Amino acid sequence: VQLQASGGGLVQPGDSLRLSCVASGIALDDYVIGWFREAPGKGREGVSCISSTDGSTYYAESAKGRFTISRNNAGKAVSLQMNSLKPDDTAEYYCAVVLLGVASESYCSGYGNRMDYWGKGTQVTVSS
């Protein structure tokens, strides 16, 4: 399984960014793709997840109302639309996948210990 994340960049507070994650090599149709982030000096935290089966989603409190996760290409391409970005959103963003998982806090929060595969990160920097 390979995950390719892209779309990061340097933006100003209040701006938007759209991150993309393309997954390949997933043999099952039942999985969850999620976004996690890690800022310098902080632990990794879950941001959002989406299920390949029913499109159910999970959002961390910090993402609710500002970020939207969506899927396309039979669920193997996932986007994270991030609006109203804040300096606190500055982090390396990673996409990850768990097979036979659920788009819920138990899978998609915290360090992401339940995720099976990880891609390389894409840096998001929000600064004026």
Side-chain angles (χ1 to χ4, degrees):
V1 175
Q2 292 187 326
L3 299 163
Q4 182 66 48
S6 62
L10 171 63
V11 297
Q12 295 185 338
D15 284 353
S16 298
L17 271 179
R18 188 176 184 87
L19 304 184
S20 295
C21 175
V22 177
S24 60
I26 300 178
L28 301 178
D29 293 328
D30 185 351
Y31 51 88
V32 169
I33 294 182
W35 286 96
F36 293 77
R37 67 186 184 185
E38 188 165 5
K42 298 182 181 179
R44 186 183 299 166
E45 62 174 349
V47 178
S48 183
C49 285
I50 189 165
S51 168
S52 68
T53 56
D54 60 3
S56 58
T57 57
Y58 162 85
Y59 292 95
E61 285 298 322
S62 59
K64 287 180 181 178
R66 300 188 300 128
F67 295 1
T68 303
I69 193 168
S70 60
R71 58 178 183 165
N72 52 31
N73 191 19
K76 295 185 178 177
V78 172
S79 296
L80 183 69
Q81 177 67 39
M82 305 188 296
N83 298 328
S84 303
L85 283 163
K86 306 173 183 179
D88 284 348
D89 295 317
T90 296
E92 189 85 2
Y93 283 70
Y94 300 87
C95 62
V97 65
V98 57
L99 305 179
L100 303 176
V102 179
S104 66
E105 184 175 6
S106 66
Y107 283 88
C108 306
S109 65
Y111 199 77
N113 289 335
R114 303 188 74 174
M115 306 306 279
D116 295 320
Y117 302 97
W118 292 82
K120 293 182 179 179
T122 184
Q123 177 68 37
V124 172
T125 302
V126 185
S127 175
S128 56

